[in-house]
Amino acid sequence: MRLVLPAGTTETALIDGISAAGAAPELMEHTPSADVEILEYGEPVASPVTPVSPNGCPTPAAVTRAVRDVVGFDVAVIDAGLTRSTAAPTVELGGGPGTDIREASAVPAATAAFDRAYDYGTSLPDDRLMIGETVPGGTTTALSVLTALGEPAGVSSSLPTNPVERKRRVVDEALAASDLEPGDCEDAPLEAIEAVGDPVQPTVAGIAAGALEAGTAVTLAGGTQMVAVAAVLRHAGIDAGLSIATTSFVADEQGDRLAEACERFDCELTVTDPGFDERDHVAMQRYCAGEAKEGVGMGGALSLVPDGEMAAVRDRLETICTRLGIESGPEDDPTTERTADGPAEGGRGP
Amino acid sequence: MRLVLPAGTTETALIDGISAAGAAPELMEHTPSADVEILEYGEPVASPVTPVSPNGCPTPAAVTRAVRDVVGFDVAVIDAGLTRSTAAPTVELGGGPGTDIREASAVPAATAAFDRAYDYGTSLPDDRLMIGETVPGGTTTALSVLTALGEPAGVSSSLPTNPVERKRRVVDEALAASDLEPGDCEDAPLEAIEAVGDPVQPTVAGIAAGALEAGTAVTLAGGTQMVAVAAVLRHAGIDAGLSIATTSFVADEQGDRLAEACERFDCELTVTDPGFDERDHVAMQRYCAGEAKEGVGMGGALSLVPDGEMAAVRDRLETICTRLGIESGPEDDPTTERTADGPAEGGRGP
């Protein structure tokens, strides 16, 4: 089993009101580079930013790393448009960062990115792949791609209160800027990504398509962003078996919508609850309050944890949080609750 | 424990008579890219070349991968001047390929490469690093750097019959082209690399120096090429504890010279015999006949194998050899013996 993790950026994450507005949004472009360092080394190495919200909620990379420490699995990080350099080893497939989806073209080289990713996916000898993502702004670009495909679209958020109306307005603007109506890209999913997507989407989709073609079992490790990739694959006529593995935090927020989407796109759904409610640790409390929820392959990684080992993952997460500078006790300052819906400094996107 | 593996190329490998001359030397520049794919995925993925000699001797990457499958350890491959792209994840430290050491400058950016590698080495959170290498031509550049430093120089070879006189003539030419006499770089080891080294050397030395500065235990995983790096570190005034871990194949060829060099540079020496003489498999027979000997961190990886587990490594190596297209039986064609000293197609350098 290998976790393949395309990492990239889109200027869409900088749009006011759906992202970490007000708390140094320019730091957010460091987040994927820091995430993959945490996944590889257990802490940021070259990154000047540690993706922890002001409330003490760490990036999901910390959870995925905790699982990796306990379970052990191979990782291949794909540079799918990183803006900032990273000290983590990455596979270069030649893509660049994405532009604001309100521009005419959001991912000009979407088809080329898909093709290179497809070749990579076919070449891997692994029996089974999980494919995750880290791209701030990714739930907004998921919403816009689903809309361009004409699919019913509900997307998650890394914030406890999902700014979904704001996202829908941005998506409306994005489609208009590309002269698209909802559903116009029904038969052309790569055109949907090119117009209103992000550069991680064609990379995830291409690796998945190539691996499926080679007979490799593929699990999309994530929430609503992976629903969008599944939609892209189905609209591309790929009907091989496909799974989605996500966290209970996404499933709780999405209610029946997630299962309905998985049924619609013929994806097996696995939801894993890491049992964070059993700990007083601030990081786990923040996840239970709805922050972060998913990302960096978190849900897929959690699905690998054998029965009886989840407590070890929580123990390990506490150790990693200490390294990331998060105090280990429960929240003892009630004022932090007031900013629970606030932006995350250098944190994950909308 | 992490194996850090700088991988690169130097045009020195293309010099007639010390390298894979006659058997498509242009394929040799693929070797490091293929090696790191084997280390990461267990077989070449994007590389058009599989580094196996005409005799059926696989690259040491196959052995290091076999150990990794049995023991499990983290890997970070560093792009220290690869000529060909690779599907393996790599850390980009910004170096380029090296030129022929008979040019005036072999590694123009040696100091910059050392500095970037030093920063990377200081930043790693691991308690212990092994640092390996894959660079065809690397024993010749080791000989030239040792000579420029004024150190007694005996170097190994990937061929059963070491073309050492040919190498010495090349080194004489290389020093002359840089206006150097033996020993002229005694107090300036990075100048020795810049003049007559290869781009992997400053990367290995920089990571080692940085890690040692940060209090990390460092083992140089390799043979005479790592003796040259140890010499560079000592000539740079770094006197922290340092280990070298290599294979019995290098130690057998070098006789007392290896232990003497390690004593001279105050390095603890670990030699591991993988017990390949216990198997009839052609790949292991070729190692016992003196082919390949070391590389891609092989000696260091072997030193990690616990008592009683080496048979599992040999089993695993047989599986990997099958994937690499090497037949599993003993050599059954006596004519292959005649080419035992011959060049390796796409194989490791001198």
Side-chain angles (χ1 to χ4, degrees), chain A residues 2 40-46 65 68 74-78 86-92 120 123-126 323, chain B residues 2 40-46 65 68 74-78 86-92 120 123-126 323:
Chain A
R2 179 182 301 276
E40 182 64 36
Y41 302 109
E43 61 186 73
V45 166
R65 172 70 194 199
R68 193 180 182 203
D74 289 330
V75 166
V77 175
I78 315 296
T86 178
T90 58
V91 179
E92 300 298 324
Y120 176 74
S123 71
L124 292 178
D126 304 273
R323 277 200 222 134
Chain B
R2 179 182 301 276
E40 182 64 35
Y41 302 110
E43 60 187 74
V45 167
R65 172 69 195 199
R68 193 179 181 203
D74 290 330
V75 166
V77 175
I78 315 296
T86 180
T90 58
V91 180
E92 300 297 324
Y120 176 74
S123 71
L124 292 177
D126 305 275
R323 275 198 225 138

Side-chain angles (χ1 to χ4, degrees), chain A:
Chain A
M1 215 299 297
R2 179 182 301 276
L3 173 62
V4 178
L5 194 92
T9 59
T10 163
E11 289 173 0
T12 309
L14 303 177
I15 298 173
D16 193 43
I18 60 167
S19 97
E26 71 276 12
L27 292 180
M28 204 161 42
E29 64 184 352
H30 289 283
T31 298
S33 300
D35 277 349
V36 299
E37 291 181 357
I38 291 167
L39 182 59
E40 182 64 36
Y41 302 109
E43 61 186 73
V45 166
S47 171
V49 165
T50 299
V52 174
S53 83
N55 300 325
C57 185
T59 165
V63 182
T64 304
R65 172 70 194 199
V67 175
R68 193 180 182 203
D69 284 341
V70 171
V71 174
F73 52 81
D74 289 330
V75 166
V77 175
I78 315 296
D79 184 341
L82 289 171
T83 314
R84 297 293 178 159
S85 65
T86 178
T90 58
V91 179
E92 300 298 324
L93 294 181
T99 53
D100 190 323
I101 56 175
R102 297 169 307 175
E103 306 280 334
S105 175
V107 188
T111 300
F114 178 91
D115 289 346
R116 285 190 303 267
Y118 184 94
D119 288 345
Y120 176 74
T122 55
S123 71
L124 292 178
D126 304 273
D127 295 329
R128 182 181 174 202
L129 293 185
M130 285 204 169
I131 312 178
E133 56 67 36
T134 170
V135 51
T139 56
T140 300
T141 51
L143 182 64
S144 53
V145 165
L146 285 165
T147 304
L149 294 173
E151 293 293 349
V155 296
S156 185
S157 169
S158 60
L159 297 173
T161 302
N162 192 344
V164 68
E165 287 314 313
R166 174 73 183 133
K167 286 182 188 176
R168 288 197 189 279
R169 283 196 301 276
V170 168
V171 167
D172 289 346
E173 285 182 63
L175 266 69
S178 299
D179 278 331
L180 290 175
E181 295 288 331
D184 272 2
C185 296
E186 185 182 353
D187 300 319
L190 289 176
E191 285 176 27
I193 293 173
E194 186 183 330
V196 296
D198 70 58
V200 167
Q201 291 165 340
T203 308
V204 174
I207 295 169
L212 289 169
E213 176 66 27
T216 306
V218 172
T219 298
L220 300 174
T224 47
Q225 290 174 242
M226 290 306 173
V227 168
V229 170
V232 164
L233 291 168
R234 296 318 187 198
H235 280 257
I238 294 163
D239 58 8
L242 200 56
S243 299
I244 288 183
T246 190
T247 65
S248 53
F249 307 112
V250 169
D252 290 348
E253 188 210 42
Q254 289 291 303
D256 292 337
R257 284 197 305 269
L258 182 64
E260 285 162 13
C262 286
E263 195 174 330
R264 186 168 174 79
F265 302 124
D266 193 19
C267 292
E268 197 179 313
L269 174 63
T270 302
V271 173
T272 307
D273 181 345
F276 287 175
D277 56 341
E278 296 181 23
R279 297 283 168 108
D280 280 338
H281 193 286
V282 59
M284 293 184 242
Q285 287 187 343
R286 294 319 305 160
Y287 273 84
C288 292
E291 252 190 277
K293 292 190 186 71
E294 172 62 281
V296 200
M298 176 177 164
L302 287 170
S303 75
L304 300 174
V305 179
D307 282 350
E309 292 291 312
M310 201 61 88
V313 170
R314 295 188 292 264
D315 289 345
R316 189 68 200 158
L317 178 59
E318 293 194 8
T319 303
I320 291 169
C321 284
T322 302
R323 277 200 222 134
L324 299 183
I326 300 170
E327 287 174 31
S328 60
E331 292 174 276
D332 50 13
D333 179 359
T335 63
T336 61
E337 283 299 332
R338 291 185 212 150
T339 60
D341 292 358
E345 186 180 355
R348 300 189 61 75

